[in-house]
Amino acid sequence: MESEIRYKEGRNELVFKKVFNTYWSPYLVMAVAGVLSALYFGVTGTVWAVTGEFTRLGGHILEWFGVDISGWAYFNLIHMQGTTFTRTDGWIVWGMFVGALLMVLLSNNFKIRMPRQKRRLLQGLIGGFVAGFGARLALGCNLAAFFTGVPQFSLHAWLFIVATAVGTFAGAKIVGTSWWKGKPVLQKGNTARMMKERKKIQPYIGGVLALAYAGLIVYFYATGKTMLGTAALFGAGFGILIERGQICFTSAFRDLWISGRATMTKAITLGMAVSSVVTLIIIVAGGMDPITKIAAPSTLIGGLLFGIGIVMAGGCETGMMYRLMEGQVVFLPVFIGNIAGATVLAYGWDHLGIQKALVAMGKPVNLIAVMGPAWALVVTLVLLAAGFATAVFWQKNYRFGVGFKKGETHHVH
């Protein structure tokens, strides 16, 4: 009997370690995220996105300081009704933070981490600002293009993806320069000092947080706030997935240019394909209208700036969220920069004529309306398959990114 109990305890401990102390396959994570994204659209009629809420937060901050934003066209476009805690988009964001933090605590992985170079704090702020400005210029960040735009068959998403690829290449060149890197910080070697193992209290804190958050979701449903409960639930699910899969859209491109690795690129492409299939089923079966964004010069320019910004910042919005929950302080200014950049774009939308110059001539184009549901899906899957094959080829033939083919040796003179 005692041996059986020990066996069960050992098995439970093994399962716990496998779930919380090891990262999950990014392919599995992205496939599940694709399904959840489609289901969230089917249930709520809205999409998984974050930077729109970042922009609203910027608007609320301005209001707290007495600024009248009622006449700002961009804020009227994205709707400022209520607060971040009474909107579904708000609970998608806070749910992602909570879900990521839960996984960090349960894996005993929270630790305040300061960057070795203090200049990284300013660089993160600048990168976050550029990314936030670019994302909102394009009317959405990587999620609004990759995981909602493509599966919603919106043409703007493909323009944004191409522009982001170019932007990340430019960003990789910028961060590779000596003036950006600065002088390397040398650290002392091993001093043979014994470090006491941290007491594993974090999983218990994570357990309490999970119960509290579950109680909040139950409260939302019990009081008739079903959409808030659904957003909070899905938001936590997305946060859990991105943290356990270490999903970062920045690395999907940046790694191609710098190291030739394509794992994240392939995983995200797979997730988009899964989401496209499930989303189309929901659109057709439910008679729903796909959400289509404007395709315009602003989409290309915004995607370019977004790509540059996320590489300068060291992570996109999703990567920033779970890394901040891990205690990586450098991503706090990235978060602040995102909000600031989005808010400046909101001001410039009509006050500086951005909408008139870069957006007004565009129009929303949906592949379903252009070629019908079947062909829209076929074209989307073919393009994604081509992207996946390109990533496979790239990883196979390039060891160290652009300019280095596998097997080549470059001598330094």
Side-chain angles (χ1 to χ4, degrees):
M1 185 68 178
E2 185 177 346
S3 61
E4 185 177 348
I5 294 175
R6 288 180 179 177
Y7 171 75
K8 289 182 178 179
E9 289 178 348
R11 185 177 61 182
N12 292 337
E13 184 178 355
L14 183 63
V15 171
F16 184 89
K17 287 183 178 180
K18 189 172 182 179
V19 173
F20 297 110
N21 291 354
T22 59
Y23 291 118
W24 303 346
S25 164
Y27 297 100
L28 175 62
V29 165
M30 284 288 88
V32 174
V35 173
L36 289 183
S37 179
L39 292 178
Y40 182 69
F41 166 69
V43 172
T44 66
T46 58
V47 294
W48 177 23
V50 296
T51 56
E53 191 61 22
F54 289 176
T55 313
R56 296 185 191 99
L57 286 173
H60 289 316
I61 292 172
L62 291 177
E63 289 178 323
W64 293 336
F65 283 96
V67 178
D68 181 11
I69 63 171
S70 59
W72 292 28
Y74 200 89
F75 286 127
N76 292 330
L77 176 68
I78 63 174
H79 307 298
M80 292 290 293
Q81 288 84 357
T83 71
T84 188
F85 299 113
T86 60
R87 290 189 293 261
T88 56
D89 285 355
W91 279 107
I92 277 289
V93 170
W94 302 121
M96 288 177 68
F97 276 122
V98 171
L101 180 59
L102 282 177
M103 292 297 100
V104 170
L105 290 174
L106 290 173
S107 61
N108 201 49
N109 194 38
F110 178 83
K111 180 183 178 181
I112 298 297
R113 300 169 173 91
M114 292 295 295
R116 294 181 181 180
Q117 295 176 303
K118 297 300 183 286
R119 62 191 288 147
R120 280 291 298 127
L121 297 172
L122 178 60
Q123 289 171 343
L125 180 67
I126 295 171
F129 182 94
V130 174
F133 185 94
R136 296 320 304 171
L137 176 60
L139 298 176
C141 65
N142 46 282
L143 290 180
F146 291 75
F147 259 78
T148 57
V150 170
Q152 294 285 334
F153 305 97
S154 180
L155 177 64
H156 93 282
W158 291 104
L159 299 178
F160 185 85
I161 289 172
V162 171
T164 298
V166 176
T168 53
F169 179 76
K173 292 296 184 182
I174 292 172
V175 301
T177 58
S178 57
W179 65 268
W180 181 270
K181 290 180 178 179
K183 294 181 179 180
V185 177
L186 300 178
Q187 293 187 325
K188 293 181 179 180
N190 183 13
T191 59
R193 187 173 55 184
M194 297 297 293
M195 300 293 292
K196 291 184 179 180
E197 183 180 359
R198 285 178 294 165
K199 292 183 178 180
K200 295 187 177 182
I201 62 171
Q202 292 183 19
Y204 297 101
I205 298 174
V208 172
L209 178 61
L211 290 174
Y213 193 71
L216 176 66
I217 293 174
V218 171
Y219 165 78
F220 281 145
Y221 282 111
T223 55
K225 301 174 182 177
T226 55
M227 287 298 100
L228 294 184
T230 300
L233 181 62
F234 274 82
F238 291 134
I240 289 170
L241 289 172
I242 63 171
E243 194 283 329
R244 283 294 84 192
Q246 294 289 286
I247 304 302
C248 182
F249 290 78
T250 304
S251 65
F253 287 111
R254 182 192 58 204
D255 290 355
L256 290 176
W257 312 138
I258 295 178
S259 66
R261 292 194 308 165
T263 300
M264 194 59 63
T265 311
K266 294 185 291 183
I268 290 173
T269 303
L270 173 64
M272 287 192 287
V274 171
S275 188
S276 297
V277 173
V278 181
T279 300
L280 183 64
I281 293 172
I282 290 173
I283 289 173
V284 173
M288 302 180 69
D289 294 324
I291 296 175
T292 311
K293 299 290 181 64
I294 294 174
S298 57
T299 311
L300 291 170
I301 297 172
L304 179 69
L305 291 174
F306 178 76
I308 294 172
I310 59 177
V311 176
M312 293 171 66
C316 61
E317 281 73 8
T318 51
M320 172 272 294
M321 294 173 84
Y322 72 76
R323 286 168 179 152
L324 185 57
M325 292 300 94
E326 290 173 348
Q328 298 190 43
V329 176
V330 69
F331 288 98
L332 180 59
V334 173
F335 183 38
I336 295 171
N338 262 278
I339 295 175
T343 306
V344 169
L345 183 278
Y347 174 82
W349 189 256
D350 47 357
H351 293 82
L352 301 179
I354 291 176
Q355 190 274 340
K356 185 177 181 180
L358 300 176
V359 187
M361 75 286 288
K363 64 177 182 178
V365 178
N366 194 280
L367 299 183
I368 293 178
V370 172
M371 57 186 67
W375 277 109
L377 180 61
V378 169
V379 169
T380 297
L381 293 180
V382 167
L383 289 174
L384 291 173
F388 191 94
T390 301
V392 171
F393 171 83
W394 193 274
Q395 183 169 266
K396 182 179 179 181
N397 290 276
Y398 291 87
R399 289 181 58 194
F400 304 108
V402 177
F404 292 85
K405 281 194 173 183
K406 190 173 182 180
E408 288 183 342
T409 303
H410 286 211
H411 297 283
V412 179
H413 298 284

